[in-house]
Amino acid sequence: MPVFLKDLQESYDVIIIGSGLGGLTTANRLAYCGHKVLLLEHHHRLGGLATWFKRRGHIFDISLHGFPYGMVKTCKKYWNKEIMQSIVQLPNIVFNNPQFNLKTTFNKEDFTHLLQTRFGVEASTIKKFFDTVTSMNFYDDQSMTTRELFEEFFPCRSDIHRLLMEPITYANGSTLDDPAITYGIVFSNFMNKGVYTFSGGTDKLIGMMEKELEKNGVTICTKAKVNKILIEKGKVCGVSVDGTTIKATAVVSNSGITNTIFNLTESHHYSDEFLTKAKAVRVNNSSCQVYMGIKKGETIEDVGDLLFTSTADEFDSEELLDLHTKSKTFSIYYPKTRPGHDRYTIVASMNSRYSDWAELTKEQYLAEKESLIDRSIKDLEKYIPGVTEKIDWVEAATPKTFNTYTLHTRGTSFGTKFEGLDVSRSIHKQVGGLFHVGSVGIIMSGWLGAINYGVIVSNDVDSYLRA
Amino acid sequence: MTNEEIKDLVLEIIEDIDDEADFDSLDPDQPLRDQLDLDSMDFLDIVMELRKRHQLQIPEEDYPNLATLNSCVMYLEPLLKDA
Ligand SMILES: Cc1cc2nc3c(=O)[nH]c(=O)nc-3n(C[C@H](O)[C@H](O)[C@H](O)COP(=O)(O)OP(=O)(O)OC[C@H]3O[C@@H](n4cnc5c(N)ncnc54)[C@H](O)[C@@H]3O)c2cc1C
């Protein structure tokens, strides 16, 4: 059970600010290593973007659309076997756009087959492409862009570029102009075995993680927003929450990297060179979502688990971000999502720019939200005819919603572009005992990226605490 | 620790990471990564476990020394001689 702020101890070995999957994992690992850990979260529940909400008997998941198979090993090693055992495959991934319509398991075998039979690519080219992407490492040369990678293997094939890129753009906001290695790493993670989900839903996962944290002795305090990280003589010494000071030898911030540097700490603690780098970090795009609940007792046919849909002629990262984009994904949650909870829900997700929504007047904002909902239901009708009549709850989230709940700069859904990784990795060299964890650098984002990054950062923190 | 004990320590840690790891045909001079299907996260686990159990601080630039079972022993022997 979370502890009240007034009941906290005066000092801890390490304080984790934020309970996204990165923060949760760092807390768990460090407690497992024997450190006294305090986890502070501004929201009333844990999970960060790995979250859900309930309306009229519906449970809506925010970021449970799919993750790579690597989660199985990661959850087994860094959480527990029960969590691992709830991971199941989403076998039906659907693409529907003016260039092609197809259904796939989204793994290497099926993609090889599709590229050969539907797109007419030579087997040897496909093999070379897969060999290239699977051998990519984050420390490799970053000068090649994903666009160049695609042009090299599939010149002038905008249809193939779409097949390969569209899902990854939704998964982490990356575009054809980002480094090819970020694409290669994430794409090959998925191609390994396909797309997976957590049976029981996000609420079950976070509940299980909370139990594990308590078992390992982590003190959890929710509704606790950290206002400042306290630094003395170049080293962290604690945090300040609503005027209360809590001491610690190390502080790990799961607040975004830009927030951590520019809002939670003061600039004079960093070198000019570091600040220049930090200022150049571009945050990723935000999202819009429309949550649709199907009336109790009604059913819908199986039309696939995850639908990448678009009426735009070709794939274009800018088009995906447009306020009125013609592209969206539908995640269809059948009763199998939460065994025992006999309900269907549908979530439409779109990439989105914070500035497009932040600049609207209140009336414009509400009108755009209505129009977003209307467009989503209309598009969904194409895949599930008659669904409009079956929906008994609908609401939408915008970049402003994501900003409110996570405090992330411009409501970023997927952390930062590639350059954020180096800044995140080196912050502890600027301020002793200050670490950052959470979505950065494209490759360290998503559920798997955030958890694995939590483990990597835990190693640095453990090393610092034992030095 | 003797070399044999260090070997056992490393294998024990790997077994904790992957309870299905098969050591029967393990060649001590070949990379552990390929033979046991270990990834970079697994090596990080080994480093963390060594720190936890024996207070060893292994800097990142030394990770390549952990590539094979024998190179592990060579690298760890002076560090664990009093353990
Ligand atoms: C719409 C959407 C869909 C997504 N879908 C998927 C998907 O299908 N699969 C997938 O793998 N990934 C998906 N993602 C990405 C994934 O959810 C994130 O990459 C991951 O959950 C981020 O974890 P994190 O550790 O970076 O922390 P976050 O989840 O960003 O959490 C940060 C936490 O820190 C807290 N915090 C911030 N500042 C403070 C402060 N000052 N004091 C106290 N607490 C603070 C916040 O409240 C929050 O809880 C999706 C993301 C979005 C937005």
Side-chain angles (χ1 to χ4, degrees):
Chain A
M1 279 299 284
V3 173
F4 291 107
L5 192 60
K6 65 174 177 46
D7 296 328
L8 295 180
Q9 296 176 22
E10 204 178 301
S11 89
Y12 292 83
D13 293 335
V14 53
I15 294 175
I16 318 282
I17 307 171
S19 67
L21 291 172
L24 289 171
T25 305
T26 309
N28 196 42
R29 288 294 285 168
L30 290 172
Y32 163 83
C33 290
H35 304 293
K36 194 164 130 192
V37 182
L38 170 65
L39 177 63
L40 297 171
E41 167 56 53
H42 112 99
H43 197 38
H44 64 79
R45 71 165 54 128
L46 304 181
L49 287 167
T51 198
W52 70 96
F53 66 92
K54 295 182 178 177
R55 296 284 189 272
R56 268 212 215 163
H58 302 294
I59 309 176
F60 294 105
D61 295 280
I62 310 303
S63 65
L64 183 63
H65 309 281
F67 45 71
Y69 183 73
M71 273 288 277
V72 169
K73 186 170 170 188
T74 280
C75 286
K76 177 180 166 198
K77 288 201 300 178
Y78 309 124
W79 285 98
N80 60 40
K81 275 203 172 137
E82 289 69 51
I83 290 179
M84 171 195 90
Q85 280 158 354
S86 293
I87 295 173
V88 296
Q89 189 172 10
L90 287 177
N92 296 318
I93 313 301
V94 173
F95 286 80
N96 185 280
N97 60 55
Q99 290 173 298
F100 53 88
N101 297 305
L102 55 87
K103 192 153 119 184
T104 168
T105 43
F106 208 75
N107 58 354
K108 189 174 160 185
E109 286 69 41
D110 203 39
F111 257 49
T112 302
H113 173 76
L114 283 169
L115 284 169
Q116 235 178 316
T117 57
R118 295 281 298 267
F119 294 84
V121 184
E122 294 271 341
S124 61
T125 307
I126 302 169
K127 186 176 178 308
K128 254 196 245 151
F129 173 72
F130 274 110
D131 288 348
T132 304
V133 291
T134 41
S135 66
M136 284 177 167
N137 287 302
F138 76 92
Y139 46 80
D140 290 349
D141 176 37
Q142 304 142 27
S143 57
M144 183 196 248
T145 65
T146 305
R147 189 190 306 279
E148 288 160 355
L149 172 80
F150 289 168
E151 280 301 329
E152 182 183 330
F153 287 94
F154 314 106
C156 303
R157 289 297 300 269
S158 71
D159 54 343
I160 297 179
H161 301 182
R162 179 177 227 158
L163 174 74
L164 298 175
M165 192 66 208
E166 205 171 60
I168 305 304
T169 300
Y170 285 115
N172 60 28
S174 65
T175 72
L176 291 170
D177 299 313
D178 284 310
I181 52 156
T182 62
Y183 173 81
I185 292 170
V186 176
F187 180 71
S188 6
N189 278 345
F190 276 107
M191 281 293 123
N192 178 20
K193 284 209 164 105
V195 184
Y196 286 73
T197 189
F198 194 82
S199 168
T202 317
D203 44 333
K204 182 177 171 198
L205 170 72
I206 299 300
M208 290 168 95
M209 287 183 165
E210 191 168 344
K211 255 199 207 135
E212 184 68 26
L213 290 172
E214 287 183 344
K215 198 179 98 194
N216 289 327
V218 174
T219 305
I220 299 171
C221 180
T222 52
K223 291 189 238 168
K225 180 178 169 192
V226 172
N227 313 105
K228 271 276 165 285
I229 295 170
L230 306 173
I231 301 170
E232 248 172 40
K233 295 188 190 122
K235 281 186 184 168
V236 296
C237 56
V239 302
S240 158
V241 183
D242 289 334
T244 307
T245 297
I246 313 160
K247 290 188 200 152
T249 313
V251 171
V252 183
S253 174
N254 183 217
S255 194
I257 183 70
T258 42
N259 257 343
T260 304
I261 296 172
F262 299 111
N263 296 333
L264 294 178
T265 54
E266 280 146 41
S267 300
H268 66 87
H269 296 297
Y270 305 101
S271 70
D272 290 344
E273 192 196 346
F274 183 82
L275 281 176
T276 309
K277 269 193 192 170
K279 281 183 191 143
V281 171
R282 295 161 297 165
V283 297
N284 230 318
N285 60 259
S286 186
S287 305
C288 283
Q289 289 189 313
V290 176
Y291 312 96
M292 295 164 272
I294 301 294
K295 259 181 231 151
K296 195 178 166 80
E298 290 281 3
T299 58
I300 50 178
E301 235 180 277
D302 189 340
V303 293
D305 299 302
L306 183 52
L307 284 59
F308 294 101
T309 75
S310 179
T311 52
D313 291 338
E314 288 192 356
F315 168 81
D316 169 9
S317 320
E318 287 299 305
E319 194 283 323
L320 255 64
L321 285 170
D322 194 87
L323 185 60
H324 299 144
T325 175
K326 296 171 174 168
S327 311
K328 53 178 70 70
T329 69
F330 289 106
S331 279
I332 322 258
Y333 301 91
Y334 302 95
K336 69 176 180 185
T337 311
R338 283 186 176 73
H341 181 82
D342 200 17
R343 283 296 188 84
Y344 296 80
T345 57
I346 298 144
V347 177
S349 305
M350 284 139 278
N351 288 358
S352 187
R353 284 188 205 98
Y354 183 77
S355 56
D356 285 346
W357 290 86
E359 285 157 14
L360 301 175
T361 63
K362 198 168 173 208
E363 290 73 41
Q364 285 171 329
Y365 179 78
L366 292 175
E368 281 299 343
K369 238 175 141 170
E370 271 315 302
S371 141
L372 174 74
I373 290 174
D374 291 346
R375 286 195 308 274
S376 299
I377 298 182
K378 198 167 143 257
D379 285 348
L380 184 60
E381 272 289 334
K382 204 169 136 190
Y383 303 95
I384 311 174
V387 73
T388 313
E389 304 306 312
K390 297 182 180 175
I391 296 174
D392 73 347
W393 186 267
V394 60
E395 70 179 271
T398 73
K400 286 181 81 168
T401 323
F402 289 101
N403 173 257
T404 304
Y405 284 103
T406 61
L407 308 174
H408 287 328
T409 309
R410 294 199 282 287
T412 175
S413 293
F414 316 107
T416 71
K417 293 289 187 186
F418 191 67
E419 64 274 7
L421 182 57
D422 182 42
V423 173
S424 166
R425 295 292 296 139
S426 55
I427 191 167
H428 71 106
K429 292 176 192 153
Q430 296 285 317
V431 178
L434 176 59
F435 300 86
H436 170 260
V437 72
S439 303
V440 275
I442 303 176
I443 50 174
M444 295 302 177
S445 83
W447 285 28
L448 178 62
I451 295 181
N452 280 345
Y453 195 41
V455 175
I456 293 171
V457 174
S458 303
N459 179 50
D460 299 336
V461 182
D462 181 55
S463 172
Y464 180 80
L465 289 172
R466 287 179 201 271
Chain B
M1 266 190 187
T2 65
N3 284 1
E4 272 316 299
E5 283 167 337
I6 295 177
K7 235 179 230 176
D8 287 345
L9 170 70
V10 173
L11 293 179
E12 195 185 299
I13 292 175
I14 295 176
E15 197 167 11
D16 276 353
I17 295 169
D18 177 11
D19 48 21
E20 283 152 37
D22 175 15
F23 300 131
D24 290 348
S25 53
L26 189 71
D27 179 340
D29 286 314
Q30 289 302 312
L32 291 162
R33 178 185 286 265
D34 307 340
Q35 300 181 81
L36 299 174
D37 204 16
L38 301 183
D39 57 31
S40 54
M41 294 299 292
D42 296 319
F43 280 92
L44 199 65
D45 297 345
I46 298 175
V47 169
M48 256 179 118
E49 212 43 51
L50 286 168
R51 191 184 307 118
K52 189 172 174 206
R53 295 188 191 194
H54 295 282
Q55 291 74 50
L56 286 186
Q57 293 276 15
I58 304 178
E60 209 169 325
E61 53 276 20
D62 287 356
Y63 291 3
N65 290 311
L66 305 176
T68 73
L69 190 56
N70 280 343
S71 70
C72 283
V73 174
M74 282 244 296
Y75 175 74
L76 294 172
E77 195 228 19
L79 302 172
L80 290 171
K81 67 174 187 296
D82 301 326

